[in-house]
Amino acid sequence: MDQNEIIEKTAEYIRREFQNDSSGHDWWHIHRVWKNALAICGHEKADLFVVQLAALLHDLDDWKFNPDGDETPVRAKAWLEQAGVDPEVSRHVCGIIMHLSFKGAEVKNKIDTMEGMIVQDADRLDAIGAVGVGRAFAYGGYKGRMMYDPESPPQLHGSFEQYRKSQSATINHFHEKLLLLKDRMNTVTARRIAAKRHDFMIEFLDQFMREWDGRDL
Ligand code: ADP
Ligand code: NI
């Protein structure tokens, strides 16, 4: 298979795997991340094949959906191998996938290649703005979390273990992760897009709290 065919087959495979998701990690999330990544690539020098494979496969082995919280990219690696992808490329893609996820406000980011930075930015752009608001509540509902709990303040998690175990209400997640993302974008392009999406979340939270407190009555 040539590179275009591999990308096409990978997209078909992922679309099948993610078709029934209702946690905000459905096929259209992957599709948006793929498109976001290509848009960022328009402004950065990067290997498009690696970027696209990592974007398409990035949530296949996500710790949030594995009972033991592990995210060694076992399934992504197997897929790349059977597709005949060069082992060196496969190692790069799997390395990106493993270090992509947000692991807590105070936990250091381990992404170190331009391709990884682009895919991480593309994924993070889909966690903020109007789509980000929608996805956060979809995920909270999927996990059985409260929408907001005024008696439990947000926490900035110092370790992945604490972040992983958190049962925080969805509004807390904005303070624990989503509002931090605009300053943690790796590329200038993503930083620019993130600024507007960030402002929208601030406006949303402001209105949410006005209604919650009855300040608009
Ligand atoms: P990451 O790998 O960085 O976590 P994902 O593509 O897996 O990125 O998407 C994570 C999304 O899942 C978040 O942006 C948010 O919408 C949702 N999410 C994760 N944890 C929570 C939570 N505790 N409360 C609400 N939403 C959450
Ligand atoms: Ni994702």
Side-chain angles (χ1 to χ4, degrees), residues 34 40 87 95 107-108 117 120 128 139 147 153 162 165 176-177 183 194 197 204 214:
W34 182 19
I40 300 171
V107 182
K108 204 174 171 315
M117 289 179 193
Q120 187 173 59
I128 60 177
Y139 186 86
M147 193 163 69
Q162 282 173 356
K165 293 209 169 124
E176 291 166 358
K177 171 182 174 188
D183 292 328
R197 296 190 181 192
F204 166 79

Side-chain angles (χ1 to χ4, degrees), residues 207-217:
Q207 177 69 13
F208 186 100
M209 293 315 301
R210 278 168 62 81
E211 293 176 20
W212 188 281
D213 294 337
R215 277 182 279 128
D216 63 340
L217 296 178

